[in-house]
Amino acid sequence: EVKIKSEKNSIDQAFSHSTTFFNYLHHHQKRFLPLLAFLILLIPFIINYSIGKPLLSGSESYYHLSLAQEHQWFTLNYLFLLPLISYIPLKILWVIPLFMGIISIILFQNILYKLKVEEKFIFFFILLLMTSPFFIHLFTTISSSGLFLFIAALGFLILTRENKYHKFAIIPLI
């Protein structure tokens, strides 16, 4: 209990200083964190483009794309991917994981707000999450893990809603 209080006091001290920058970020974190996630996730795509590598990194992306083009329907991953690759050119397909990452950040923020977690902890949790190599890898490739994280966050958000639709939260979690 003493350790928790000292950790909480150090976080409070970081925000209690007259640092206008932290206060501004804390106050506008709902807009700032998705924008920062966009910039963080955009960096690997810019680097790949500038050195002439394919925009989607990792062999898993191309594995899923080839199975979707061959109409391999043994998993539901390709149910969503085939219509996307039918209408979106492969050169623009890198935008899909980028937007899924940004929407995942927004979903996590909303879940944490619904659970009444303090805004300071939400800020640091989301900041730590989106700067982790795991998050960056998930949402710069077309991976089943990224899709799973996105759908799980969507399911948990529906579950935290206090309306008649929270019963449908089980559908994304199946």
Side-chain angles (χ1 to χ4, degrees):
E1 184 176 343
V2 173
K3 185 177 180 181
I4 293 172
K5 285 183 180 179
S6 66
E7 288 175 359
K8 188 174 181 180
N9 288 337
S10 64
I11 291 174
D12 287 336
Q13 287 174 356
F15 279 102
S16 67
H17 288 90
S18 60
T19 310
T20 349
F21 182 68
F22 276 127
N23 288 334
Y24 181 80
L25 293 181
H26 178 258
H27 183 68
H28 297 288
Q29 68 179 325
K30 280 194 168 187
R31 284 182 261 149
F32 168 72
L33 289 175
L35 178 64
L36 185 61
F38 173 75
L39 293 174
I40 288 172
L41 292 175
L42 192 62
I43 289 171
F45 294 118
I46 291 172
I47 291 172
N48 284 347
Y49 180 76
S50 66
I51 60 176
K53 288 176 61 177
L55 292 178
L56 290 170
S57 59
S59 58
E60 187 178 5
S61 298
Y62 298 101
Y63 171 76
H64 289 303
L65 287 174
S66 69
L67 285 181
Q69 288 173 339
E70 293 174 8
H71 301 281
Q72 298 289 330
W73 297 98
F74 53 89
T75 64
L76 291 177
N77 294 350
Y78 310 112
L79 180 66
F80 302 109
L81 195 55
L82 183 63
L84 290 175
I85 62 174
S86 299
Y87 296 109
I88 299 175
L90 289 178
K91 291 186 178 192
I92 302 175
L93 205 59
W94 62 273
V95 174
I96 293 168
L98 177 79
F99 283 126
M100 279 180 33
I102 295 167
I103 293 170
S104 295
I105 290 294
I106 294 169
L107 290 173
F108 281 128
Q109 279 182 314
N110 288 332
I111 291 168
L112 293 171
Y113 278 115
K114 290 286 182 188
L115 295 175
K116 297 183 172 115
V117 176
E118 287 186 46
E119 287 188 14
K120 296 172 213 171
F121 292 113
I122 294 173
F123 178 77
F124 284 115
F125 171 74
I126 298 293
L127 190 63
L128 182 66
L129 173 70
M130 68 184 173
T131 56
S132 69
F134 175 72
F135 182 82
I136 294 170
H137 174 73
L138 280 184
F139 294 110
T140 55
T141 62
I142 296 176
S143 68
S144 54
S145 301
L147 180 65
F148 172 76
L149 185 66
F150 173 74
I151 292 175
L154 183 63
F156 281 119
L157 181 67
I158 294 170
L159 188 63
T160 59
R161 299 276 179 190
E162 295 177 3
N163 58 21
K164 61 182 179 179
Y165 298 112
H166 76 277
K167 297 171 188 165
F168 296 109
I170 193 69
I171 294 171
L173 298 175
I174 292 179

